[in-house]
Amino acid sequence: MGFTNGFLSGFVVTRRSALMVGSLSHTLLPGIAVAILIAGLTTVTAFLGALISALLVGLVAVFIARTSRIDSHSALAVLYTAAFAGGLLILDHVPTPMELEHWLFGNILALSNADLVMSLGASTLILVLLISFGRPLLLFLFEPTIAQSQGVPVRSLGYLLTGLVILGLVVSIQAVGCILSVAMLVAPAAAMLQFARSPQLLVWGGGILGAVVSVLAVFVSYWLDLRVGAAIVLMLGGAVLIAYLFGFRHGALRLLLQRPPAKHS
């Protein structure tokens, strides 16, 4: 899970869609709320509810942007806030199981064997598709005009990447919760930007960093009796801060030391 989301974060950061991911993470709650209302809270119903909700909001935002003067970011902002508010209203009127907290705030230690199998399957699917379409995806992200001129299905790749991001968010929610799941899809690559010399290093480095931090956070949270999801996100934030300060390519301290001294007249 940590490796897959870290790997995927390279594409998210390259596409500069971190805010979109943050918006979509809020759409997971109403999907879970509707799942509870219709069929009760189970791993399958919560997973499908969150996935369908995020996909629906994302697709409707694109449709509104293409059929009106409202841009996609504005449409997404309105839709995700409305969906989140609707989810809160639904939860106020349905019996709320104790397990709901694991989906809202994350608890990776509470995952059952079925949860692990589902997360492993979804993570494997994301990795296989990203690796299989890696070259056209990177061309689409860096040079969309050239990609389109070479016959690359730019629009289809855009939909594919959005779908994989949503699937990555859903996979993350039992580890870090609905709201914090965005960190696992942004922070690893954001840290690696200070070191990476190529897109390949960005995505693979993000995957390795995401996996290492996730494992360390589990042990730290166990030793200090902390929430695992919060520990993962805080450690990822710490990794970004360290990279920002000490990155050997674009680190703030390195750039500060290389700045020529001011000339006094």
Side-chain angles (χ1 to χ4, degrees):
M1 187 185 301
F3 180 84
T4 298
N5 287 341
F7 192 93
L8 181 56
S9 72
F11 294 90
V12 172
V13 170
T14 302
R15 196 182 187 186
R16 298 183 179 180
S17 55
L19 289 178
M20 181 199 74
V21 175
S23 300
L24 289 174
S25 69
H26 287 72
T27 66
L28 304 178
L29 174 66
I32 296 173
V34 172
I36 296 174
L37 183 65
I38 295 175
L41 183 61
T42 65
T43 299
V44 175
T45 57
F47 185 91
L48 291 177
L51 181 62
I52 293 171
S53 176
L55 285 172
L56 185 62
V57 169
L59 290 175
V60 172
V62 171
F63 176 79
I64 291 175
R66 290 182 176 174
T67 56
S68 72
R69 298 180 64 185
I70 303 173
D71 64 272
S72 59
H73 295 290
S74 299
L76 186 59
V78 173
L79 288 172
Y80 93 75
T81 49
F84 192 82
L88 291 177
L89 292 178
I90 293 174
L91 290 177
D92 284 340
H93 294 86
V94 298
T96 305
M98 290 298 296
E99 294 84 356
L100 178 63
E101 183 179 351
H102 299 162
W103 292 88
L104 296 181
F105 305 109
N107 187 359
I108 198 170
L109 300 179
L111 295 180
S112 64
N113 290 336
D115 298 331
L116 291 173
V117 169
M118 184 172 294
S119 296
L120 178 62
S123 298
T124 302
L125 176 62
I126 293 171
L127 275 178
V128 169
L129 289 174
L130 286 177
I131 293 173
S132 300
F133 294 95
R135 292 180 66 86
L137 274 173
L138 289 175
L139 181 59
F140 155 65
L141 292 175
F142 283 101
E143 297 290 348
T145 304
I146 295 177
Q148 191 169 17
S149 67
Q150 293 183 357
V152 175
V154 173
R155 181 172 295 182
S156 298
L157 287 178
Y159 286 135
L160 172 65
L161 187 55
T162 301
L164 293 179
V165 167
I166 291 172
L167 185 57
L169 282 172
V170 176
V171 169
S172 305
I173 56 179
Q174 281 191 289
V176 296
C178 291
I179 309 304
L180 298 181
S181 58
V182 62
M184 297 188 71
L185 288 171
V186 176
M192 288 305 301
L193 275 176
Q194 302 297 96
F195 303 96
R197 298 179 180 273
S198 67
Q200 290 77 16
L201 182 57
L202 179 65
V203 295
W204 287 101
I208 294 171
L209 179 62
V212 171
V213 169
S214 297
V215 172
L216 287 176
V218 170
F219 285 106
V220 169
S221 62
Y222 176 77
W223 292 329
L224 301 180
D225 193 24
L226 303 173
R227 286 183 179 269
V228 180
I232 292 175
V233 173
L234 280 176
M235 291 183 68
L236 284 173
V240 174
L241 178 60
I242 292 171
Y244 168 75
L245 293 174
F246 302 107
F248 57 76
R249 293 197 67 213
H250 305 290
L253 294 181
R254 180 176 183 271
L255 295 178
L256 183 63
L257 293 174
Q258 288 182 339
R259 182 178 299 174
K263 295 182 179 180
H264 300 282
S265 55

